[in-house]
Amino acid sequence: MLENGHYNVPPGKVAMVVTDLEMTTPQFRGVPCPDGLTFTTLSRDTTAYLELFRRVGAPWLWFGRTLMDKQELTDILNDEKTGLFTLEKDGQAEALLELDFSVEGQCELDYFGLTPALIGSGAGAFLMDQAIREAFDRGIKRFHLHTCTMDSPQALGFYQRSGFTPIGRRIEIADDPRVAHGYDRDLAPHIPVIDP
């Protein structure tokens, strides 16, 4: 158990507070689909997935899928227990919704986000209604996710307004992808790079 106090994060690393949330009864906001958008399944093509993953997640230093072995990612994307969806605008995917049904009776919201083209349009609330519907339509008892302080400052409040309840919190330390993996050093200016 950690004592109260401050702990140094090694140079070249990032630290985040992760909050775990869950929903056991579906709750919908009833938000209509914004004009010009279409909710649809997402291609399971690994290259197309990673391109969208980067457009959605780069500002927040999402790195989980980009550092994964390509075959491992391909296997996840092609697994029938993985649900992949998007919002299309002018024929282009502008949102990422990835659901994991690998645990019986549960669904984990693995990834959820919008490209800058949709932020502030109401598309997020609409997409979350679709996520909740897709999850509970499979007869699950628990829909859960985690978010962290590296994500958008609005993320935690958004999930709570969507009906998720916080159930736990932890600290995660990881390699800073801008230092260890060649990510653009200008990404995520809210998290300063500290070189080793």
Side-chain angles (χ1 to χ4, degrees):
M1 173 180 276
L2 290 176
E3 297 291 327
N4 290 344
H6 296 93
Y7 295 88
N8 291 327
V9 175
K13 302 279 189 180
V14 289
M16 60 214 93
V17 176
V18 178
T19 301
D20 300 308
L21 302 102
E22 72 176 5
M23 176 187 294
T24 55
T25 303
Q27 300 177 49
F28 301 99
R29 292 193 197 184
V31 177
C33 184
D35 290 343
L37 299 183
T38 304
F39 177 71
T40 187
T41 56
L42 180 64
S43 166
R44 293 182 182 271
D45 175 76
T46 306
T47 301
Y49 172 91
L50 285 172
E51 187 272 333
L52 178 61
F53 184 92
R54 288 182 183 102
R55 286 194 299 123
V56 170
W60 316 113
L61 289 185
W62 287 11
F63 57 85
R65 294 295 191 230
T66 60
L67 303 181
M68 184 176 280
D69 174 79
K70 188 171 182 178
Q71 187 57 56
E72 183 182 358
L73 177 58
T74 299
D75 291 346
I76 289 170
L77 298 182
N78 289 307
D79 191 321
E80 65 182 17
K81 294 180 180 177
T82 300
L84 293 173
F85 305 92
T86 191
L87 293 173
E88 285 188 352
K89 180 178 182 180
D90 300 325
Q92 180 167 324
E94 298 289 354
L96 177 59
L97 170 57
E98 182 179 337
L99 302 174
D100 176 359
F101 292 95
S102 61
V103 176
E104 185 71 28
Q106 299 186 33
C107 177
E108 181 174 359
L109 192 155
D110 273 348
Y111 289 98
F112 180 95
L114 310 173
T115 66
L118 297 187
I119 292 175
S121 69
F126 171 76
L127 185 61
M128 182 54 75
D129 272 1
Q130 305 318 302
I132 294 166
R133 183 170 291 107
E134 291 288 338
F136 282 96
D137 277 356
R138 293 218 195 170
I140 65 162
K141 302 295 183 202
R142 178 176 182 252
F143 190 22
H144 64 104
L145 64 94
H146 61 266
T147 189
C148 73
T149 51
M150 279 179 36
D151 206 349
S152 164
Q154 289 88 17
L156 180 57
F158 170 82
Y159 292 130
Q160 290 179 280
R161 288 190 304 277
S162 297
F164 289 89
T165 301
I167 58 169
R169 191 172 18 230
R170 54 204 151 88
I171 302 291
E172 179 179 350
I173 296 177
D175 290 334
D176 186 330
R178 298 165 298 183
V179 174
H181 302 291
Y183 271 47
D184 184 340
R185 292 174 69 92
D186 292 330
L187 291 173
H190 62 292
I191 304 165
V193 175
I194 301 175
D195 288 304

